[in-house]
mmCIF file of all heavy atoms in Angstrom:
data_model
loop_
_atom_site.group_PDB
_atom_site.id
_atom_site.type_symbol
_atom_site.label_atom_id
_atom_site.label_comp_id
_atom_site.label_asym_id
_atom_site.label_seq_id
_atom_site.Cartn_x
_atom_site.Cartn_y
_atom_site.Cartn_z
ATOM 1 N N ALA A 1 41.507 61.049 -141.219
ATOM 2 C CA ALA A 1 41.203 59.871 -140.397
ATOM 3 C C ALA A 1 42.440 59.338 -139.689
ATOM 4 O O ALA A 1 42.356 58.336 -138.970
ATOM 5 C CB ALA A 1 40.586 58.775 -141.263
ATOM 6 N N ASN A 2 43.579 59.971 -139.870
ATOM 7 C CA ASN A 2 44.815 59.491 -139.259
ATOM 8 C C ASN A 2 44.663 59.322 -137.752
ATOM 9 O O ASN A 2 44.109 60.180 -137.080
ATOM 10 C CB ASN A 2 45.959 60.475 -139.561
ATOM 11 C CG ASN A 2 47.303 59.947 -139.098
ATOM 12 O OD1 ASN A 2 47.569 58.748 -139.155
ATOM 13 N ND2 ASN A 2 48.162 60.842 -138.619
ATOM 14 N N ARG A 3 45.128 58.184 -137.244
ATOM 15 C CA ARG A 3 45.125 57.792 -135.844
ATOM 16 C C ARG A 3 43.740 57.394 -135.334
ATOM 17 O O ARG A 3 43.548 57.181 -134.140
ATOM 18 C CB ARG A 3 45.717 58.906 -134.963
ATOM 19 C CG ARG A 3 47.130 59.295 -135.389
ATOM 20 C CD ARG A 3 47.721 60.344 -134.511
ATOM 21 N NE ARG A 3 47.998 59.811 -133.180
ATOM 22 C CZ ARG A 3 48.246 60.580 -132.123
ATOM 23 N NH1 ARG A 3 48.207 61.893 -132.236
ATOM 24 N NH2 ARG A 3 48.509 60.023 -130.964
ATOM 25 N N GLY A 4 42.778 57.294 -136.266
ATOM 26 C CA GLY A 4 41.435 56.902 -135.859
ATOM 27 C C GLY A 4 40.824 55.900 -136.815
ATOM 28 O O GLY A 4 41.437 54.888 -137.142
ATOM 29 N N ILE A 5 39.636 56.199 -137.282
ATOM 30 C CA ILE A 5 38.862 55.277 -138.126
ATOM 31 C C ILE A 5 38.518 55.928 -139.449
ATOM 32 O O ILE A 5 38.079 57.081 -139.499
ATOM 33 C CB ILE A 5 37.557 54.854 -137.411
ATOM 34 C CG1 ILE A 5 37.861 53.946 -136.215
ATOM 35 C CG2 ILE A 5 36.615 54.133 -138.368
ATOM 36 C CD1 ILE A 5 36.625 53.577 -135.406
ATOM 37 N N LEU A 6 38.709 55.172 -140.527
ATOM 38 C CA LEU A 6 38.231 55.580 -141.851
ATOM 39 C C LEU A 6 37.163 54.596 -142.292
ATOM 40 O O LEU A 6 37.421 53.406 -142.434
ATOM 41 C CB LEU A 6 39.375 55.592 -142.869
ATOM 42 C CG LEU A 6 38.948 55.807 -144.336
ATOM 43 C CD1 LEU A 6 38.284 57.175 -144.504
ATOM 44 C CD2 LEU A 6 40.139 55.664 -145.274
ATOM 45 N N GLU A 7 35.946 55.101 -142.483
ATOM 46 C CA GLU A 7 34.845 54.265 -142.968
ATOM 47 C C GLU A 7 34.750 54.388 -144.476
ATOM 48 O O GLU A 7 34.619 55.484 -145.014
ATOM 49 C CB GLU A 7 33.522 54.683 -142.331
ATOM 50 C CG GLU A 7 32.335 53.872 -142.856
ATOM 51 C CD GLU A 7 30.995 54.371 -142.377
ATOM 52 O OE1 GLU A 7 30.954 55.446 -141.728
ATOM 53 O OE2 GLU A 7 29.978 53.715 -142.663
ATOM 54 N N MET A 8 34.803 53.240 -145.161
ATOM 55 C CA MET A 8 34.623 53.194 -146.609
ATOM 56 C C MET A 8 33.218 52.655 -146.884
ATOM 57 O O MET A 8 32.981 51.448 -146.860
ATOM 58 C CB MET A 8 35.680 52.303 -147.253
ATOM 59 C CG MET A 8 37.116 52.719 -146.979
ATOM 60 S SD MET A 8 37.589 54.268 -147.783
ATOM 61 C CE MET A 8 37.647 53.767 -149.492
ATOM 62 N N GLN A 9 32.278 53.561 -147.096
ATOM 63 C CA GLN A 9 30.890 53.155 -147.307
ATOM 64 C C GLN A 9 30.726 52.483 -148.669
ATOM 65 O O GLN A 9 31.219 52.980 -149.674
ATOM 66 C CB GLN A 9 29.967 54.367 -147.207
ATOM 67 C CG GLN A 9 29.927 54.985 -145.816
ATOM 68 C CD GLN A 9 28.971 56.159 -145.731
ATOM 69 O OE1 GLN A 9 28.574 56.734 -146.736
ATOM 70 N NE2 GLN A 9 28.602 56.536 -144.514
ATOM 71 N N GLU A 10 30.000 51.351 -148.654
ATOM 72 C CA GLU A 10 29.748 50.600 -149.891
ATOM 73 C C GLU A 10 31.035 50.503 -150.709
ATOM 74 O O GLU A 10 31.079 50.837 -151.897
ATOM 75 C CB GLU A 10 28.634 51.266 -150.706
ATOM 76 C CG GLU A 10 27.298 51.325 -149.990
ATOM 77 C CD GLU A 10 26.722 49.950 -149.674
ATOM 78 O OE1 GLU A 10 27.106 48.972 -150.348
ATOM 79 O OE2 GLU A 10 25.895 49.841 -148.747
ATOM 80 N N MET A 11 32.075 50.001 -150.067
ATOM 81 C CA MET A 11 33.424 50.054 -150.622
ATOM 82 C C MET A 11 33.543 49.427 -152.013
ATOM 83 O O MET A 11 34.248 49.946 -152.880
ATOM 84 C CB MET A 11 34.384 49.351 -149.659
ATOM 85 C CG MET A 11 35.806 49.247 -150.174
ATOM 86 S SD MET A 11 36.866 48.546 -148.926
ATOM 87 C CE MET A 11 38.077 47.735 -149.947
ATOM 88 N N LEU A 12 32.861 48.331 -152.237
ATOM 89 C CA LEU A 12 33.051 47.626 -153.504
ATOM 90 C C LEU A 12 32.345 48.308 -154.679
ATOM 91 O O LEU A 12 32.469 47.861 -155.812
ATOM 92 C CB LEU A 12 32.588 46.177 -153.359
ATOM 93 C CG LEU A 12 33.319 45.386 -152.256
ATOM 94 C CD1 LEU A 12 32.902 43.936 -152.272
ATOM 95 C CD2 LEU A 12 34.830 45.516 -152.390
ATOM 96 N N LYS A 13 31.616 49.393 -154.393
ATOM 97 C CA LYS A 13 31.038 50.200 -155.463
ATOM 98 C C LYS A 13 31.998 51.295 -155.913
ATOM 99 O O LYS A 13 31.761 51.971 -156.903
ATOM 100 C CB LYS A 13 29.725 50.835 -155.001
ATOM 101 C CG LYS A 13 28.591 49.840 -154.767
ATOM 102 C CD LYS A 13 27.342 50.565 -154.297
ATOM 103 C CE LYS A 13 26.205 49.558 -154.059
ATOM 104 N NZ LYS A 13 24.994 50.233 -153.520
ATOM 105 N N ILE A 14 33.082 51.470 -155.156
ATOM 106 C CA ILE A 14 34.045 52.533 -155.439
ATOM 107 C C ILE A 14 34.975 52.104 -156.566
ATOM 108 O O ILE A 14 35.364 50.937 -156.666
ATOM 109 C CB ILE A 14 34.859 52.859 -154.162
ATOM 110 C CG1 ILE A 14 33.918 53.356 -153.050
ATOM 111 C CG2 ILE A 14 35.922 53.917 -154.442
ATOM 112 C CD1 ILE A 14 34.578 53.505 -151.702
ATOM 113 N N ASP A 15 35.346 53.052 -157.415
ATOM 114 C CA ASP A 15 36.269 52.785 -158.517
ATOM 115 C C ASP A 15 37.573 52.213 -157.965
ATOM 116 O O ASP A 15 38.108 52.682 -156.953
ATOM 117 C CB ASP A 15 36.539 54.085 -159.275
ATOM 118 C CG ASP A 15 37.213 53.831 -160.619
ATOM 119 O OD1 ASP A 15 38.329 53.281 -160.602
ATOM 120 O OD2 ASP A 15 36.631 54.190 -161.654
ATOM 121 N N THR A 16 38.104 51.177 -158.624
ATOM 122 C CA THR A 16 39.296 50.490 -158.116
ATOM 123 C C THR A 16 40.521 51.389 -158.025
ATOM 124 O O THR A 16 41.418 51.139 -157.221
ATOM 125 C CB THR A 16 39.642 49.277 -159.011
ATOM 126 O OG1 THR A 16 39.720 49.702 -160.380
ATOM 127 C CG2 THR A 16 38.595 48.196 -158.868
ATOM 128 N N LYS A 17 40.583 52.473 -158.812
ATOM 129 C CA LYS A 17 41.757 53.356 -158.725
ATOM 130 C C LYS A 17 41.843 54.012 -157.349
ATOM 131 O O LYS A 17 42.923 54.377 -156.882
ATOM 132 C CB LYS A 17 41.698 54.425 -159.820
ATOM 133 C CG LYS A 17 40.597 55.462 -159.650
ATOM 134 C CD LYS A 17 40.614 56.486 -160.788
ATOM 135 C CE LYS A 17 39.514 57.528 -160.610
ATOM 136 N NZ LYS A 17 39.462 58.489 -161.710
ATOM 137 N N PHE A 18 40.682 54.163 -156.665
ATOM 138 C CA PHE A 18 40.679 54.686 -155.303
ATOM 139 C C PHE A 18 41.103 53.596 -154.321
ATOM 140 O O PHE A 18 41.834 53.860 -153.363
ATOM 141 C CB PHE A 18 39.276 55.190 -154.931
ATOM 142 C CG PHE A 18 38.834 56.405 -155.694
ATOM 143 C CD1 PHE A 18 38.193 56.285 -156.912
ATOM 144 C CD2 PHE A 18 39.072 57.670 -155.199
ATOM 145 C CE1 PHE A 18 37.779 57.394 -157.619
ATOM 146 C CE2 PHE A 18 38.671 58.805 -155.898
ATOM 147 C CZ PHE A 18 38.023 58.664 -157.111
ATOM 148 N N LEU A 19 40.657 52.388 -154.575
ATOM 149 C CA LEU A 19 40.932 51.299 -153.650
ATOM 150 C C LEU A 19 42.415 50.960 -153.573
ATOM 151 O O LEU A 19 42.914 50.557 -152.519
ATOM 152 C CB LEU A 19 40.125 50.041 -154.043
ATOM 153 C CG LEU A 19 38.592 50.190 -154.033
ATOM 154 C CD1 LEU A 19 37.933 48.870 -154.397
ATOM 155 C CD2 LEU A 19 38.096 50.661 -152.676
ATOM 156 N N TYR A 20 43.131 51.123 -154.680
ATOM 157 C CA TYR A 20 44.542 50.741 -154.670
ATOM 158 C C TYR A 20 45.391 51.664 -153.789
ATOM 159 O O TYR A 20 46.500 51.313 -153.408
ATOM 160 C CB TYR A 20 45.086 50.683 -156.103
ATOM 161 C CG TYR A 20 44.745 49.374 -156.763
ATOM 162 C CD1 TYR A 20 43.692 49.278 -157.669
ATOM 163 C CD2 TYR A 20 45.440 48.207 -156.445
ATOM 164 C CE1 TYR A 20 43.353 48.064 -158.260
ATOM 165 C CE2 TYR A 20 45.103 46.996 -157.028
ATOM 166 C CZ TYR A 20 44.071 46.923 -157.930
ATOM 167 O OH TYR A 20 43.738 45.718 -158.495
ATOM 168 N N HIS A 21 44.861 52.844 -153.463
ATOM 169 C CA HIS A 21 45.556 53.691 -152.495
ATOM 170 C C HIS A 21 45.540 53.054 -151.107
ATOM 171 O O HIS A 21 46.379 53.367 -150.266
ATOM 172 C CB HIS A 21 44.906 55.076 -152.433
ATOM 173 C CG HIS A 21 45.424 56.017 -153.472
ATOM 174 N ND1 HIS A 21 46.503 56.848 -153.256
ATOM 175 C CD2 HIS A 21 45.029 56.244 -154.741
ATOM 176 C CE1 HIS A 21 46.740 57.550 -154.345
ATOM 177 N NE2 HIS A 21 45.857 57.212 -155.270
ATOM 178 N N LEU A 22 44.545 52.176 -150.891
ATOM 179 C CA LEU A 22 44.453 51.521 -149.588
ATOM 180 C C LEU A 22 45.461 50.392 -149.436
ATOM 181 O O LEU A 22 45.754 49.966 -148.320
ATOM 182 C CB LEU A 22 43.039 50.964 -149.389
ATOM 183 C CG LEU A 22 41.891 51.983 -149.462
ATOM 184 C CD1 LEU A 22 40.561 51.274 -149.286
ATOM 185 C CD2 LEU A 22 42.065 53.070 -148.415
ATOM 186 N N LEU A 23 45.979 49.871 -150.544
ATOM 187 C CA LEU A 23 46.960 48.781 -150.473
ATOM 188 C C LEU A 23 48.193 49.205 -149.700
ATOM 189 O O LEU A 23 48.642 48.535 -148.771
ATOM 190 C CB LEU A 23 47.350 48.326 -151.880
ATOM 191 C CG LEU A 23 46.299 47.575 -152.689
ATOM 192 C CD1 LEU A 23 46.847 47.229 -154.065
ATOM 193 C CD2 LEU A 23 45.867 46.316 -151.975
ATOM 194 N N SER A 24 48.767 50.337 -150.101
ATOM 195 C CA SER A 24 49.965 50.835 -149.430
ATOM 196 C C SER A 24 49.652 51.243 -147.997
ATOM 197 O O SER A 24 50.440 51.013 -147.084
ATOM 198 C CB SER A 24 50.539 52.019 -150.201
ATOM 199 O OG SER A 24 51.654 52.563 -149.533
ATOM 200 N N LEU A 25 48.466 51.843 -147.798
ATOM 201 C CA LEU A 25 48.093 52.301 -146.460
ATOM 202 C C LEU A 25 48.024 51.139 -145.482
ATOM 203 O O LEU A 25 48.569 51.203 -144.373
ATOM 204 C CB LEU A 25 46.745 53.022 -146.523
ATOM 205 C CG LEU A 25 46.142 53.416 -145.174
ATOM 206 C CD1 LEU A 25 46.993 54.479 -144.493
ATOM 207 C CD2 LEU A 25 44.707 53.916 -145.335
ATOM 208 N N THR A 26 47.351 50.061 -145.880
ATOM 209 C CA THR A 26 47.165 48.944 -144.958
ATOM 210 C C THR A 26 48.437 48.120 -144.789
ATOM 211 O O THR A 26 48.768 47.687 -143.690
ATOM 212 C CB THR A 26 46.024 48.034 -145.449
ATOM 213 O OG1 THR A 26 46.271 47.650 -146.805
ATOM 214 C CG2 THR A 26 44.698 48.753 -145.372
ATOM 215 N N GLN A 27 49.163 47.901 -145.871
ATOM 216 C CA GLN A 27 50.337 47.027 -145.811
ATOM 217 C C GLN A 27 51.556 47.735 -145.232
ATOM 218 O O GLN A 27 52.283 47.172 -144.412
ATOM 219 C CB GLN A 27 50.655 46.496 -147.213
ATOM 220 C CG GLN A 27 51.659 45.351 -147.225
ATOM 221 C CD GLN A 27 51.109 44.094 -146.559
ATOM 222 O OE1 GLN A 27 49.913 43.834 -146.603
ATOM 223 N NE2 GLN A 27 51.981 43.328 -145.907
ATOM 224 N N GLU A 28 51.792 48.971 -145.659
ATOM 225 C CA GLU A 28 53.011 49.681 -145.260
ATOM 226 C C GLU A 28 52.760 50.843 -144.302
ATOM 227 O O GLU A 28 53.713 51.427 -143.777
ATOM 228 C CB GLU A 28 53.732 50.213 -146.510
ATOM 229 C CG GLU A 28 54.018 49.155 -147.560
ATOM 230 C CD GLU A 28 54.943 48.055 -147.060
ATOM 231 O OE1 GLU A 28 55.701 48.314 -146.095
ATOM 232 O OE2 GLU A 28 54.889 46.935 -147.606
ATOM 233 N N GLY A 29 51.485 51.208 -144.099
ATOM 234 C CA GLY A 29 51.195 52.314 -143.196
ATOM 235 C C GLY A 29 51.479 53.670 -143.809
ATOM 236 O O GLY A 29 51.780 54.627 -143.082
ATOM 237 N N ASN A 30 51.383 53.781 -145.130
ATOM 238 C CA ASN A 30 51.605 55.082 -145.764
ATOM 239 C C ASN A 30 50.831 55.147 -147.079
ATOM 240 O O ASN A 30 50.304 54.142 -147.560
ATOM 241 C CB ASN A 30 53.096 55.349 -145.993
ATOM 242 C CG ASN A 30 53.780 54.201 -146.729
ATOM 243 O OD1 ASN A 30 53.259 53.687 -147.729
ATOM 244 N ND2 ASN A 30 54.946 53.780 -146.256
ATOM 245 N N PHE A 31 50.755 56.343 -147.644
ATOM 246 C CA PHE A 31 50.077 56.518 -148.929
ATOM 247 C C PHE A 31 50.746 57.656 -149.688
ATOM 248 O O PHE A 31 51.490 58.476 -149.125
ATOM 249 C CB PHE A 31 48.583 56.805 -148.739
ATOM 250 C CG PHE A 31 48.284 58.091 -148.022
ATOM 251 C CD1 PHE A 31 48.063 59.268 -148.717
ATOM 252 C CD2 PHE A 31 48.226 58.132 -146.632
ATOM 253 C CE1 PHE A 31 47.783 60.454 -148.067
ATOM 254 C CE2 PHE A 31 47.951 59.322 -145.962
ATOM 255 C CZ PHE A 31 47.738 60.484 -146.674
ATOM 256 N N LYS A 32 50.492 57.720 -150.988
ATOM 257 C CA LYS A 32 51.105 58.725 -151.852
ATOM 258 C C LYS A 32 50.118 59.858 -152.097
ATOM 259 O O LYS A 32 48.950 59.638 -152.380
ATOM 260 C CB LYS A 32 51.490 58.088 -153.191
ATOM 261 C CG LYS A 32 52.285 59.010 -154.095
ATOM 262 C CD LYS A 32 53.734 59.100 -153.647
ATOM 263 C CE LYS A 32 54.565 59.841 -154.698
ATOM 264 N NZ LYS A 32 54.919 61.196 -154.290
ATOM 265 N N ALA A 33 50.610 61.090 -151.957
ATOM 266 C CA ALA A 33 49.790 62.263 -152.225
ATOM 267 C C ALA A 33 50.654 63.339 -152.866
ATOM 268 O O ALA A 33 51.737 63.662 -152.362
ATOM 269 C CB ALA A 33 49.171 62.796 -150.931
ATOM 270 N N GLY A 34 50.190 63.882 -153.991
ATOM 271 C CA GLY A 34 50.898 64.978 -154.655
ATOM 272 C C GLY A 34 52.352 64.647 -154.937
ATOM 273 O O GLY A 34 52.713 63.498 -155.193
ATOM 274 N N ARG A 35 53.201 65.670 -154.853
ATOM 275 C CA ARG A 35 54.629 65.492 -155.135
ATOM 276 C C ARG A 35 55.428 65.419 -153.834
ATOM 277 O O ARG A 35 56.413 66.125 -153.636
ATOM 278 C CB ARG A 35 55.116 66.638 -156.014
ATOM 279 C CG ARG A 35 54.442 66.638 -157.378
ATOM 280 C CD ARG A 35 54.967 67.719 -158.290
ATOM 281 N NE ARG A 35 54.301 67.653 -159.600
ATOM 282 C CZ ARG A 35 54.538 68.491 -160.599
ATOM 283 N NH1 ARG A 35 55.428 69.470 -160.444
ATOM 284 N NH2 ARG A 35 53.894 68.380 -161.739
ATOM 285 N N PHE A 36 54.949 64.555 -152.943
ATOM 286 C CA PHE A 36 55.618 64.364 -151.662
ATOM 287 C C PHE A 36 56.064 62.912 -151.534
ATOM 288 O O PHE A 36 55.584 62.024 -152.257
ATOM 289 C CB PHE A 36 54.673 64.703 -150.497
ATOM 290 C CG PHE A 36 54.172 66.121 -150.520
ATOM 291 C CD1 PHE A 36 52.900 66.408 -150.986
ATOM 292 C CD2 PHE A 36 54.978 67.163 -150.112
ATOM 293 C CE1 PHE A 36 52.432 67.705 -151.023
ATOM 294 C CE2 PHE A 36 54.515 68.468 -150.144
ATOM 295 C CZ PHE A 36 53.247 68.750 -150.606
ATOM 296 N N ALA A 37 56.981 62.690 -150.608
ATOM 297 C CA ALA A 37 57.345 61.319 -150.279
ATOM 298 C C ALA A 37 56.123 60.631 -149.664
ATOM 299 O O ALA A 37 55.117 61.289 -149.345
ATOM 300 C CB ALA A 37 58.516 61.323 -149.292
ATOM 301 N N LEU A 38 56.199 59.320 -149.493
ATOM 302 C CA LEU A 38 55.079 58.592 -148.897
ATOM 303 C C LEU A 38 54.734 59.189 -147.533
ATOM 304 O O LEU A 38 55.611 59.466 -146.709
ATOM 305 C CB LEU A 38 55.433 57.115 -148.751
ATOM 306 C CG LEU A 38 55.570 56.338 -150.065
ATOM 307 C CD1 LEU A 38 56.137 54.948 -149.813
ATOM 308 C CD2 LEU A 38 54.213 56.230 -150.768
ATOM 309 N N ILE A 39 53.436 59.379 -147.290
ATOM 310 C CA ILE A 39 52.957 60.002 -146.058
ATOM 311 C C ILE A 39 52.476 58.924 -145.100
ATOM 312 O O ILE A 39 51.632 58.098 -145.450
ATOM 313 C CB ILE A 39 51.822 60.992 -146.367
ATOM 314 C CG1 ILE A 39 52.325 62.091 -147.306
ATOM 315 C CG2 ILE A 39 51.264 61.595 -145.087
ATOM 316 C CD1 ILE A 39 51.235 63.031 -147.787
ATOM 317 N N SER A 40 53.024 58.911 -143.891
ATOM 318 C CA SER A 40 52.634 57.909 -142.889
ATOM 319 C C SER A 40 51.214 58.171 -142.393
ATOM 320 O O SER A 40 50.808 59.317 -142.192
ATOM 321 C CB SER A 40 53.598 57.949 -141.702
ATOM 322 O OG SER A 40 54.896 57.589 -142.092
ATOM 323 N N ALA A 41 50.496 57.090 -142.170
ATOM 324 C CA ALA A 41 49.144 57.186 -141.602
ATOM 325 C C ALA A 41 48.854 55.912 -140.822
ATOM 326 O O ALA A 41 49.218 54.812 -141.248
ATOM 327 C CB ALA A 41 48.105 57.393 -142.696
ATOM 328 N N ASP A 42 48.212 56.069 -139.690
ATOM 329 C CA ASP A 42 47.847 54.939 -138.834
ATOM 330 C C ASP A 42 46.345 55.010 -138.596
ATOM 331 O O ASP A 42 45.875 55.838 -137.817
ATOM 332 C CB ASP A 42 48.621 55.039 -137.505
ATOM 333 C CG ASP A 42 48.112 54.046 -136.469
ATOM 334 O OD1 ASP A 42 47.670 52.953 -136.874
ATOM 335 O OD2 ASP A 42 48.144 54.382 -135.261
ATOM 336 N N GLU A 43 45.605 54.186 -139.300
ATOM 337 C CA GLU A 43 44.157 54.241 -139.147
ATOM 338 C C GLU A 43 43.507 52.883 -139.379
ATOM 339 O O GLU A 43 44.038 52.035 -140.095
ATOM 340 C CB GLU A 43 43.552 55.283 -140.079
ATOM 341 C CG GLU A 43 44.042 55.215 -141.518
ATOM 342 C CD GLU A 43 43.874 56.545 -142.255
ATOM 343 O OE1 GLU A 43 44.724 57.444 -142.089
ATOM 344 O OE2 GLU A 43 42.874 56.651 -142.988
ATOM 345 N N VAL A 44 42.381 52.697 -138.741
ATOM 346 C CA VAL A 44 41.586 51.480 -138.924
ATOM 347 C C VAL A 44 40.659 51.720 -140.110
ATOM 348 O O VAL A 44 39.821 52.623 -140.072
ATOM 349 C CB VAL A 44 40.750 51.164 -137.664
ATOM 350 C CG1 VAL A 44 39.918 49.899 -137.888
ATOM 351 C CG2 VAL A 44 41.638 51.015 -136.447
ATOM 352 N N VAL A 45 40.831 50.934 -141.154
ATOM 353 C CA VAL A 45 39.976 51.078 -142.338
ATOM 354 C C VAL A 45 38.861 50.041 -142.247
ATOM 355 O O VAL A 45 39.111 48.832 -142.273
ATOM 356 C CB VAL A 45 40.779 50.891 -143.640
ATOM 357 C CG1 VAL A 45 39.858 51.081 -144.846
ATOM 358 C CG2 VAL A 45 41.947 51.867 -143.696
ATOM 359 N N ILE A 46 37.621 50.530 -142.120
ATOM 360 C CA ILE A 46 36.454 49.646 -142.008
ATOM 361 C C ILE A 46 35.554 49.900 -143.208
ATOM 362 O O ILE A 46 35.122 51.040 -143.449
ATOM 363 C CB ILE A 46 35.669 49.888 -140.712
ATOM 364 C CG1 ILE A 46 36.593 49.802 -139.486
ATOM 365 C CG2 ILE A 46 34.542 48.868 -140.587
ATOM 366 C CD1 ILE A 46 35.877 50.058 -138.176
ATOM 367 N N ALA A 47 35.290 48.852 -143.948
ATOM 368 C CA ALA A 47 34.408 48.943 -145.116
ATOM 369 C C ALA A 47 33.208 48.033 -144.909
ATOM 370 O O ALA A 47 33.231 47.136 -144.064
ATOM 371 C CB ALA A 47 35.167 48.543 -146.380
#
């Protein structure tokens, strides 16, 4: 979804461990994946 739109369907039904990945994405524009440094992403998250 980078550079576009990420739809989170029925977001509040999702386990919170998934939601906390969105904290870094929305606030800092990056997220953690595997054994890499933080990965930049620019996307509109709509739930």
Side-chain angles (χ1 to χ4, degrees):
N2 187 35
R3 303 182 69 195
I5 290 176
L6 172 62
E7 178 187 7
M8 302 291 289
Q9 294 182 342
E10 299 298 338
M11 176 175 150
L12 302 186
K13 292 179 180 177
I14 299 171
D15 194 299
T16 52
K17 69 180 180 183
F18 292 88
L19 299 182
Y20 278 101
H21 275 270
L22 302 178
L23 290 179
S24 177
L25 173 67
T26 53
Q27 193 66 32
E28 306 298 337
N30 52 46
F31 64 93
K32 187 77 171 106
R35 296 183 179 179
F36 300 101
L38 292 171
I39 300 174
S40 296
D42 170 32
E43 48 203 81
V44 179
V45 181
I46 307 179

